[in-house]
């Protein structure tokens, strides 16, 4: 295992744990979803390390898609702030059984 | 919603699944999944009430997490083996992670908790899209991944079947019951996916037919809970007499279509020497049968205890399109004699 | 050696984001991670990708996050000094240290591979050429990316429209 591989794996796992375990605000959950950033770094490092330069398009596409995801998440933040009056995740409890 | 925006969103839904189908590279498959998720979100939130916003938020968070996990697993696979091809997954760690991420995406137990809540917040049409079309792309990926750990899919399948049966027992809301039915059916597919992928595909297609007739008939009746099912005899007498057949077909009783996948899967499992697993699968179908029967009982076998103000709404012409419902109900009930040709069509 | 420092800051930064502080501080941690990520990419020779990360990510996305942190403002923000956040942070960092201890004997260092070994034949660095392929070979991918950006525009418009009575108003 190379240090780079270990670094982005552990960083991603940390982001995932943060998303899964404790979120009080929807915005914090969206910030944890930005662990896609580590995937950007991972894809770029794979490209650079293996010298397959034609693959370095993929981090750019990843960045575009994660920007789409982030903006959709922020739009949902606005939508839930309007319908629920707050962005706390505890208030999203209408559908539980 | 403006028809132009609606057409763009539907185009996005179709394009996402198509991209995932057409891809052999994990990155492109991931793009298709993201496209699919993004396109359905405004359809889910189209009525802007708090339940819809909440369901959309939960759906978005789970799908985005699953997509990120999928991409992380494939990137790890590329770091470990240098491969991006979907069919060439050899390392056990990324394969397991990908299977779990896809299971989160389609809502298999133990990652199922979002599905009933999300489905409960939607209207029936969007719920139908969510439980049929949105499952196609992740399932296509799941079919292509070479499983390295045989216990994983069997465990996912068994827990899904049991949880889908047990948790559905306590529900009175139709959409939640349909969500648990979806979990249980996906469990049937997962249990056989590594022995015979074509059989899993057959089960998925038949499940689509059966669940769309269930969703469409509930939509025509305009009901979302068991209580209001009891007055459906005054609205649609013919459909009310057909609905128990739809539900029993979902449960998998012999002369109906739903028996075919269960029969073939149990046969395949027995051929593989997994008789205890097959027995457990057959017994877990009884759990689901109980709530299907309860729906059938409330809808057809008894009359509402309340006095109805009008018993003749069936005279009023309905302005909903009933042709898809008629086609899917026919397929739901009478496809069993066609099982040899269907099977030979799907088996390579 | 600087690479190792960057890796450390990257992991600690993600732990800082994950340990549930208030959104402002989480965004601050993300800024730090993104900045350090640029450093990692430059160390590997990907200067253009690093520039893209710096400009697009820090310039675009985090401005939006700072804006919406205002929407989720709270009177008593929790930073990493407060008890539970500090506890989670220590827990996460210790977890990473323990997992890295499991791999301790098996590190192999293959970094410092430059991106352009064929540097003497080309005018630009490797990643610049690679990204430029998006406009020739990877045209289909460019189309898909453009399409999803358009789709997101409509998605966001539909989500924040809210029963057609203007943007920021309760329903």
């Amino acid at each position: 295992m190379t240090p780079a591989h270990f670094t982005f794996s552990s960083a991603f796992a940390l982001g995932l744990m943060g998303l899964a375990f404790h979120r009080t605000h929807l915005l914090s959950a969206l910030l944890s979803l930005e662990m896609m950033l580590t995937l950007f770094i991972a894809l770029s490092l794979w490209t650079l390390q293996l010298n397959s330069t034609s693959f370095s398009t993929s981090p750019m596409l990843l960045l575009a898609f994660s920007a789409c995801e982030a903006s959709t998440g922020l739009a949902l933040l606005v939508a839930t702030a309007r319908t629920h009056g707050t962005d706390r995740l505890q208030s999203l409890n209408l559908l539980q059984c | 919603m403006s028809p132009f925006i609606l057409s763009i969103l539907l185009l996005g839904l179709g394009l996402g699944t198509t991209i995932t189908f057409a891809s052999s590279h994990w990155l492109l498959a991931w793009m298709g999944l993201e496209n699919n998720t993004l396109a359905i979100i405004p359809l889910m939130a189209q009525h802007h009430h708090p339940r819809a916003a909440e369901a959309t938020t939960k759906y978005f968070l789970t799908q985005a997490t699953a997509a990120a996990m999928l991409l992380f697993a494939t990137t790890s696979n590329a770091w470990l083996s240098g491969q991006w091809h979907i069919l060439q997954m050899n390392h056990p760690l990324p394969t397991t992670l990908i299977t779990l991420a896809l299971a989160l995406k389609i809502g298999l137990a133990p990652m199922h908790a979002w599905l009933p809540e999300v489905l409960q917040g939607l209207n029936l049409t969007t719920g139908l899209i969510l439980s049929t079309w949105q499952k196609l792309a992740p399932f296509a990926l799941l079919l292509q991944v070479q499983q390295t750990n045989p216990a994983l899919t069997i465990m996912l399948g068994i827990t899904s079947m049991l949880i889908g049966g047990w948790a559905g027992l306590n529900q009175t809301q139709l959409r939640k019951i349909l969500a648990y039915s979806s979990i249980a059916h996906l469990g049937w597919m997962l249990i056989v996916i590594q022995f015979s992928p074509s059989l899993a595909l057959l089960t998925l297609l038949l499940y689509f037919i059966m669940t769309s007739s269930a969703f469409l008939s509930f939509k025509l009746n305009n009901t979302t809970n068991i209580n209001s099912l009891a007055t459906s005899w005054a609205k649609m007498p013919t459909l009310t007499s057909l609905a128990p057949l739809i539900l029993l077909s979902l449960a998998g009783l012999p002369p109906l279509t739903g028996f075919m996948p269960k029969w073939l899967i149990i046969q395949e499992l027995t051929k593989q020497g997994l008789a205890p697993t097959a027995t457990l699968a057959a017994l877990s179908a009884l759990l689901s049968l109980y709530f299907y029967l309860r729906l059938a009982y409330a809808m057809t076998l008894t009359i509402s205890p309340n006095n109805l103000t009008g018993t003749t709404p069936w005279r009023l012409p309905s302005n909903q399109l009933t042709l898809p419902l008629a086609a899917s109900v026919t397929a739901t009930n009478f496809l069993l004699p066609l099982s040899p040709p269907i099977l030979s069509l799907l088996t390579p | 050696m600087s690479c190792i420092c960057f890796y450390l800051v990257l992991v600690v930064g993600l732990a800082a984001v994950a340990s549930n502080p208030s959104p402002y501080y989480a965004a601050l941690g993300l800024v730090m991670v993104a900045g350090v990520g640029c450093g990692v990419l430059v160390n590997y020779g990907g200067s253009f990708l690093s520039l893209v990360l710096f400009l697009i990510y820090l310039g675009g996305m985090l401005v939006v996050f700072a804006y919406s942190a205002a929407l989720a403002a709270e009177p008593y923000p929790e930073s990493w000094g407060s008890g539970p956040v500090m506890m989670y942070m220590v827990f996460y960092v210790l977890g990473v240290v323990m997992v890295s201890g499991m791999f301790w004997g098996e590190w192999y260092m293959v970094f410092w591979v430059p991106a352009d070994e064929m540097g003497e034949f080309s005018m630009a660095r490797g990643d610049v050429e690679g990204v430029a392929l998006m406009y020739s070979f990877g045209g289909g991918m460019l189309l898909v990316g453009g399409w999803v950006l358009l789709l997101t525009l409509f998605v966001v418009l539909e989500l924040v429209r809210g029963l057609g009575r203007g943007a920021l108003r309760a329903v």
Side-chain angles (χ1 to χ4, degrees):
Chain A
M1 187 171 248
T2 58
H5 189 185
F6 178 76
T7 305
F8 81 78
S9 298
S10 55
F12 184 86
L14 281 175
L16 203 59
M17 279 164 82
L19 182 65
F21 287 145
H22 31 258
R23 300 269 59 108
T24 49
H25 293 280
L26 179 57
L27 187 56
S28 325
L30 295 177
L31 281 170
S32 280
L33 264 184
E34 289 303 313
M35 62 199 172
M36 301 286 265
L37 171 66
T38 61
L39 292 180
F40 179 87
I41 295 172
L43 276 175
S44 314
L45 290 190
W46 189 78
T47 309
L48 297 170
Q49 195 167 48
L50 294 193
N51 227 341
S52 65
T53 48
S54 60
F55 201 69
S56 59
T57 316
S58 66
M60 307 287 293
L61 291 165
L62 173 85
L63 201 59
F65 273 72
S66 78
C68 288
E69 239 179 32
S71 60
T72 310
L74 290 175
L76 278 171
L77 175 74
V78 171
T80 49
R82 295 170 68 189
T83 53
H84 289 72
T86 172
D87 82 322
R88 291 196 168 255
L89 282 178
Q90 279 107 348
S91 69
L92 298 181
N93 57 5
L94 293 171
L95 298 171
Q96 287 170 358
C97 44
Chain B
M1 188 179 287
S2 151
F4 300 113
I5 297 184
L6 185 66
S7 61
I8 285 208
L9 294 176
L10 291 181
L11 193 60
L13 270 183
L15 190 67
T17 306
T18 315
I19 287 177
T20 309
F21 279 180
S23 61
S24 60
H25 192 283
W26 273 113
L27 190 75
L28 194 58
W30 172 79
M31 285 177 184
L33 291 176
E34 288 283 311
N35 207 334
N36 236 340
T37 308
L38 287 177
I40 201 175
I41 277 177
L43 293 177
M44 297 169 87
Q46 58 184 331
H47 294 300
H48 294 288
H49 51 68
R51 283 181 297 121
E54 177 184 336
T56 316
T57 309
K58 286 180 175 171
Y59 182 73
F60 172 77
L61 284 180
T62 46
Q63 298 295 309
T65 313
M69 270 174 68
L70 182 80
L71 197 63
F72 168 69
T74 51
T75 314
S76 286
N77 186 48
W79 272 82
L80 291 170
S81 64
Q83 278 291 348
W84 280 97
H85 202 278
I86 293 181
L87 293 174
Q88 293 168 350
M89 300 283 299
N90 297 319
H91 203 278
L93 177 72
T95 314
T96 309
L97 208 52
I98 282 172
T99 312
L100 290 179
L102 290 173
L104 177 61
K105 246 184 183 312
I106 56 178
L108 280 161
M111 282 82 77
H112 70 288
W114 60 274
L115 183 61
E117 299 187 6
V118 167
L119 210 54
Q120 179 64 24
L122 309 178
N123 58 8
L124 284 168
T125 321
T126 319
L128 177 61
I129 297 177
L130 182 71
S131 57
T132 55
W133 183 255
Q134 291 296 94
K135 302 220 190 280
L136 266 177
F139 200 80
L141 292 179
L142 208 52
L143 281 175
Q144 294 175 61
V145 172
Q146 200 77 39
Q147 295 294 334
T148 50
N149 187 1
L152 179 68
T153 49
I154 291 188
M155 282 314 294
L156 279 175
I158 293 250
T159 43
S160 300
M161 279 190 291
L162 289 174
I163 286 182
W166 256 313
L169 292 180
N170 207 14
Q171 301 297 331
T172 56
Q173 297 287 329
L174 293 181
R175 286 168 289 186
K176 284 202 173 179
I177 289 180
L178 285 174
Y180 284 114
S181 134
S182 152
I183 293 170
H185 277 94
L186 285 170
W188 279 91
M189 294 160 212
L190 254 275
I191 208 167
V192 82
I193 199 167
Q194 58 180 337
F195 304 119
S196 161
S198 54
L199 203 50
L201 188 61
L202 169 77
T203 316
L204 185 76
L205 295 179
L206 290 181
Y207 166 69
F208 281 180
I209 293 174
M210 293 188 286
T211 201
S212 40
S213 46
F215 268 103
L216 288 175
S217 57
F218 292 149
K219 180 166 178 287
L220 198 61
N221 267 322
N222 208 3
T223 57
T224 52
N225 53 20
I226 293 184
N227 211 4
S228 57
L229 268 186
T231 60
S232 58
W233 60 274
K235 296 181 201 160
M236 305 274 160
T238 324
L239 187 61
T240 308
S241 57
L242 273 175
L245 294 180
I246 299 172
L247 292 167
L248 293 181
S249 182
L250 272 170
L253 285 181
L256 306 166
T257 307
F259 180 56
M260 185 203 314
K262 296 206 168 40
W263 182 21
L264 295 173
I265 286 173
I266 288 179
Q267 186 195 16
E268 180 69 33
L269 288 179
T270 326
K271 266 196 252 167
Q272 302 285 342
L274 292 170
T277 314
T279 315
L280 198 56
L283 286 179
S284 75
L286 291 177
L287 293 169
S288 309
L289 178 65
Y290 178 76
F291 59 76
Y292 294 129
L293 268 182
R294 192 165 60 173
L295 289 188
Y297 180 75
M299 195 167 178
T300 312
L301 307 179
T302 185
I303 289 185
S304 163
N306 312 311
N307 285 325
L308 291 189
T309 49
T311 54
T312 54
W314 55 271
R315 286 169 178 269
L316 305 174
S318 163
N319 54 1
Q320 292 193 39
L321 187 65
T322 48
L323 184 62
L325 177 63
S328 67
V329 166
T330 313
T332 303
N333 288 334
F334 303 115
L335 271 189
L336 184 64
L338 288 181
S339 43
I342 295 175
L343 200 61
S344 61
L345 203 65
L346 282 174
T347 317
Chain C
M1 210 57 229
S2 63
C3 211
I4 298 291
C5 295
F6 282 145
Y7 288 158
L8 280 180
V9 179
L10 195 80
V11 173
V12 171
L14 243 295
V17 176
S19 59
N20 200 18
S22 290
Y24 321 108
Y25 295 106
L28 183 67
L30 211 56
V31 169
M32 192 172 71
V33 171
V36 169
C38 292
V40 172
L41 291 186
V42 165
N43 257 333
Y44 271 81
S47 50
F48 183 67
L49 286 172
S50 165
L51 185 68
V52 164
L53 183 60
F54 198 79
L55 286 182
I56 309 260
Y57 202 88
L58 288 182
M61 208 171 281
L62 291 198
V63 167
V64 180
F65 269 109
Y67 163 72
S68 50
L71 208 69
E74 54 186 337
Y76 303 108
E78 281 192 327
S79 71
W80 297 285
S82 68
V85 181
M86 172 73 94
M87 204 181 71
Y88 279 120
M89 177 95 184
V90 171
F91 173 72
Y92 282 146
V93 172
L94 279 184
V96 172
V97 169
M98 277 168 59
V99 175
S100 74
M102 278 166 51
F103 293 105
W104 199 250
E106 323 166 12
W107 297 127
Y108 52 94
M109 302 275 187
V110 283
F111 61 121
W112 301 116
V113 176
D116 37 9
E117 280 179 352
M118 306 290 280
E120 46 281 12
F121 301 126
S122 78
M123 298 289 285
R125 296 192 70 94
D127 55 341
V128 181
E129 295 163 0
V131 171
L133 276 185
M134 191 161 61
Y135 300 102
S136 56
F137 271 153
M141 295 290 105
L142 188 68
L143 275 186
V144 174
W147 159 257
V148 82
L149 286 169
L150 177 71
L151 182 68
T152 308
L153 176 68
F154 286 111
V155 168
V156 170
L157 278 179
E158 272 301 313
L159 279 179
V160 299
R161 199 160 56 91
L163 292 180
R165 277 192 289 161
L168 269 178
R169 210 175 293 172
V171 166

